[in-house]
């Protein structure tokens, strides 16, 4: 028997007034699985992540995380989760060490000193500990964020474009770090990115969202085969430029 | 409520102040300027009126210090939140296992630290330069300051909710709220000089009862239990309303997807 799902989202719908950001999103995420969320700008990825984090409430649909309804059990669920995004930062006026200490306290991390040292070393940034966070380069700041994101050994981790604005070398290091840490701890991860290399290397399974609906789902190879394309990049372009109807047709044949 | 989390969130601000002394200047600079202005005015009035009648004017300096307790208390709450908005850290906090009450409690804690610094400095300055000793007010200082703290928190919670709902555009509103209250709450003059209808509004504010009570004590009339009871009752009402407003704003903001917007824009 498979492990109990970490996330079970059924028919999530979100409208902001007249704008429908999510039409119908269902997804299941299991432990030890990295799910990539792909789609053009405005497809609804961030809205989906915000709903999964309890920042936005869906207009319809049900959402269970660790088998519990999210909103009434928010605090208990969030203890077991973490999050990092290219669009969020840690307070720039504190040192890296002070920031990580604060979050270690918030998440109730045991042996936080050793934990922070271990993560900083894995990310190859132990020398940044006493540096002021606001003065770090993008690559350094992202890795500090990832350190925060893994502090509590999360069972569920949501990463919103973690490699945006990173050079290929650091991107590669970040991917390898996420992969190895995830395998060691069986973390379930949802990963959004516009970098197809990221998705191919990191994700076990991917979900293409277009106009608030899932239009394709499967392993990267299966999705490429389904769309008869050589690369995920070509699949992306095909979906982005197709009329919604065509894509939904394709999605049906996938199932 | 988890005190480890509250403690960590308070430490964050203390780290900030130890790293950046300029931030502390704000806690010292404005109240000092205000004290000096009112201090000289008190001197001038004393000179005009003759010392015998002038004693009561020192309550203006009491007004300055008391007002600052309330104002700093309000600001402590709003600034803690804004600090997270400015540093784009708000989402990290909102996706962490932090309850709204823990977040607010840490903001109250920060307010307390700021007030302690301000009051200490104002007390010393007004004593040295204007021979007004705050401690002459005696033990009634405790209920007075307590009431002002609570009312400051209530306004701070209200202002924070406004910023959450309307984004940084509401920032200036958050600064303005205390000054909307200042003329109504009889900081530097007794309620009795206001027109009758305005007196009703003034007396509906918990802080008015503190300022009236303070003037009473300084005039030798003793501690007014009725003013204290009114302040306590009105504070309870204000805190309850502010809490409900905060809670209601949080759900509105979640429905409109504004939390992420305030945090990342
Ligand atoms: N808070 C909001 N209020 C109104 N419309 C929103 C809000 N958030 C997102 N939208 C709209 O919902 C759609 C999906 O946006 P988003 O989830 O950010 O897409 P993505 O992250 O895939 O680029 C867009 O049309 C966007 O304009
Ligand atoms: Mg997005």
């Amino acid at each position: 028997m498979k492990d109990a799902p970490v996330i079970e989202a059924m028919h999530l719908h979100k409208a902001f007034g007249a704008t429908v950001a999510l039409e119908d999103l269902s997804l299941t995420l299991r432990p030890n699985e990295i799910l990539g969320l792909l789609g053009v700008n405005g497809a609804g990825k961030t809205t989906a992540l915000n709903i999964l984090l309890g920042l936005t409430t869906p207009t319809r649909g049900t959402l269970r995380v660790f088998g519990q309804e999210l909103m009434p059990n928010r605090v208990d669920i969030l203890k077991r989760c973490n999050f990092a995004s290219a669009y969020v930062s840690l307070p720039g006026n504190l040192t890296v060490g002070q920031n990580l200490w604060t979050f270690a306290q918030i998440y109730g991390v045991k042996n936080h000193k050793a934990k922070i040292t271990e993560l900083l070393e894995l990310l190859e940034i132990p020398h940044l500990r006493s540096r002021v966070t606001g003065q770090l380069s993008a690559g350094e700041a992202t890795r500090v964020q990832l350190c925060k994101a893994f502090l509590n050994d999360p069972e569920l981790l949501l990463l919103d474009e973690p490699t945006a604005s990173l050079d290929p070398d650091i991107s590669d290091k970040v991917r390898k770090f996420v992969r190895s840490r995830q395998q060691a701890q069986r973390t379930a991860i949802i990963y959004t990115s516009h970098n197809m290399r990221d998705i191919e290397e990191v994700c076990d399974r991917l979900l293409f969202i277009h106009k608030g609906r899932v239009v394709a789902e499967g392993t990267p190879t299966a999705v490429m085969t389904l769309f008869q394309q050589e690369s995920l990049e070509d699949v992306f372009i095909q979906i982005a430029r197709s009329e919604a109807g065509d894509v939904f047709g394709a999605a049906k044949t996938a199932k | 409520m988890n005190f480890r989390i509250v403690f960590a969130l308070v430490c964050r601000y203390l780290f900030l102040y130890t790293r950046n002394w300029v931030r502390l200047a704000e806690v010292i600079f404005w109240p000092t300027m205000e004290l000096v202005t009112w201090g000289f005015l008190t001197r001038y009035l004393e000179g005009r009126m003759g010392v015998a009648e002038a004693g009561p004017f020192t309550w203006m300096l009491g007004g300055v210090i008391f007002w600052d307790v309330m104002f700093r208390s309000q600001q402590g709450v709003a600034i803690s939140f804004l600090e997270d908005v400015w540093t784009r850290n708000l989402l990290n906090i909102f996706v962490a296992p932090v309850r709204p009450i823990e977040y607010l409690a840490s903001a109250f804690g920060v307010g307390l630290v700021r007030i302690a610094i301000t009051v200490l400095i104002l007390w010393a300055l007004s004593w040295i330069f204007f021979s007004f000793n705050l401690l002459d007010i005696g033990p009634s200082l405790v209920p007075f300051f307590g009431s002002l703290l609570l009312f400051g928190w209530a306004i701070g919670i209200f202002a924070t909710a406004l910023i959450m709902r309307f984004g940084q555009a509401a920032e200036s509103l958050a600064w303005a709220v205390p000054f909307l209250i200042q003329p109504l709450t009889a900081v530097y003059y007794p309620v009795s000089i206001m027109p009758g209808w305005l007196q009703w509004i003034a007396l509906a504010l918990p802080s008015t009862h503190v300022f009236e009570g303070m003037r009473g004590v300084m005039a030798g009339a003793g501690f007014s239990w009725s003013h204290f009871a009114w302040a306590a009752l009105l504070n309870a009402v204000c805190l309850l309303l502010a809490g409900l407003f905060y809670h209601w704003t949080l759900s509105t903001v979640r429905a409109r997807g504004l939390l992420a917007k305030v945090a990342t824009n």
Side-chain angles (χ1 to χ4, degrees), chain B residues 31-32 34-36 38-39 58-73 115-127 130 132-135 137 141 144-145 148-149 182 187-188 210-211 214 218:
Chain B
T32 306
E34 212 180 345
L35 182 82
V36 170
W38 286 96
T58 43
W59 48 249
M60 286 205 215
L61 292 178
V64 172
I65 300 177
F66 274 48
W67 168 254
D68 245 84
V69 168
M70 189 178 116
F71 182 53
R72 298 292 139 190
S73 162
I115 289 164
I117 297 171
T118 305
V119 167
L120 224 61
I121 288 168
L122 290 184
W123 169 62
L125 288 180
S126 57
W127 196 10
F130 303 107
F132 167 67
N133 182 2
L134 188 65
L135 293 180
I137 294 179
L141 265 182
F144 285 157
F145 277 13
L148 291 172
L149 266 178
Q182 193 178 36
V187 181
Y188 303 113
V210 176
F211 291 114
M214 172 199 75
M218 289 178 77

Side-chain angles (χ1 to χ4, degrees), chain A residues 45-46 160-161:
Chain A
K45 305 178 295 292
T46 299
D160 198 5
E161 303 195 28

Side-chain angles (χ1 to χ4, degrees), chain A residues 40-47 49 87 160-161 192 194:
Chain A
V40 296
N41 290 320
K45 305 178 295 292
T46 299
T47 304
L49 281 193
Y87 304 102
D160 198 5
E161 303 195 28
T192 81
H194 287 302

Side-chain angles (χ1 to χ4, degrees), chain A residues 14 16 50 54-57 71 74-75 78-79 87-91 93 95 98 102 105-108 132 148, chain B residues 4-5 8-9 11-12 15-16 19 87-89 91-92 94-99 254-257 260 264:
Chain A
K14 181 68 197 179
F16 296 107
N50 287 343
L55 294 171
T56 300
T57 39
M71 287 318 277
R74 234 184 108 252
V75 169
L78 289 176
K79 276 180 199 156
Y87 304 102
V88 173
S89 32
L90 294 168
N93 21 37
T95 65
Q98 288 170 333
T102 308
Q105 293 301 311
I106 291 176
Y107 282 97
V132 177
K148 172 248 159 192
Chain B
R4 190 194 63 236
I5 293 179
L9 290 173
C11 284
R12 212 162 53 129
F15 292 152
L16 182 69
R19 294 208 57 79
T87 57
R88 303 206 308 163
N89 181 47
L91 275 199
N92 282 324
F94 272 87
V95 302
V98 178
R99 290 182 178 83
R254 282 204 168 100
R256 294 183 183 231
T264 54

Side-chain angles (χ1 to χ4, degrees), chain A residues 15-211:
Chain A
F16 296 107
T19 315
V20 177
L22 275 187
E23 190 65 54
D24 180 6
L25 175 77
S26 296
L27 70 87
T28 307
L29 181 71
R30 295 190 179 278
N32 203 15
E33 186 179 33
I34 306 191
L35 176 69
L37 218 51
L38 273 82
V40 296
N41 290 320
K45 305 178 295 292
T46 299
T47 304
L49 281 193
N50 287 343
I51 290 176
L52 297 176
L53 286 164
L55 294 171
T56 300
T57 39
T59 18
R60 285 200 298 274
T62 56
L63 173 59
R64 297 180 83 78
V65 182
F66 306 123
Q68 293 172 300
E69 217 183 310
L70 177 63
M71 287 318 277
N73 303 292
R74 234 184 108 252
V75 169
D76 289 328
I77 289 172
L78 289 176
K79 276 180 199 156
R80 302 160 67 183
C81 300
N82 216 316
F83 162 81
S85 156
Y87 304 102
V88 173
S89 32
L90 294 168
N93 21 37
L94 302 193
T95 65
V96 169
Q98 288 170 333
N99 269 322
L100 293 174
W101 177 86
T102 308
F103 280 98
Q105 293 301 311
I106 291 176
Y107 282 97
V109 177
K110 295 191 192 83
N111 284 328
H112 57 266
K113 260 202 178 122
K115 177 62 116 205
I116 292 171
T117 307
E118 181 199 357
L119 285 168
L120 287 175
E121 267 163 17
L122 283 172
L123 283 156
E124 302 177 22
I125 47 170
H127 54 286
L128 297 184
R129 202 170 188 145
S130 49
R131 288 271 302 277
V132 177
T133 312
Q135 292 167 0
L136 302 180
S137 70
E140 291 168 338
T142 305
R143 282 182 286 171
V144 172
Q145 276 244 31
L146 278 173
C147 183
K148 172 248 159 192
F150 278 97
L151 266 181
N152 60 330
D153 296 332
E155 293 164 66
L156 169 62
L157 180 59
L158 304 181
L159 299 175
D160 198 5
E161 303 195 28
T163 57
S165 77
L166 298 188
D167 71 39
D169 170 48
I170 307 288
S171 297
D172 182 61
K173 283 182 180 162
V174 163
R175 283 193 293 266
K176 294 211 162 89
F177 167 78
V178 170
R179 246 311 181 199
S180 71
R181 198 75 193 165
Q182 180 268 340
Q183 276 167 358
Q185 312 201 320
R186 296 173 50 78
T187 320
I189 299 182
I190 295 189
Y191 196 107
T192 81
S193 177
H194 287 302
N195 179 341
M196 296 305 130
R197 177 90 182 259
D198 264 20
I199 301 288
E200 276 169 53
E201 267 188 38
V202 175
C203 300
D204 302 307
R205 190 157 62 92
L206 56 87
L207 214 64
F208 250 108
I209 304 185
H210 196 61
K211 301 192 174 154

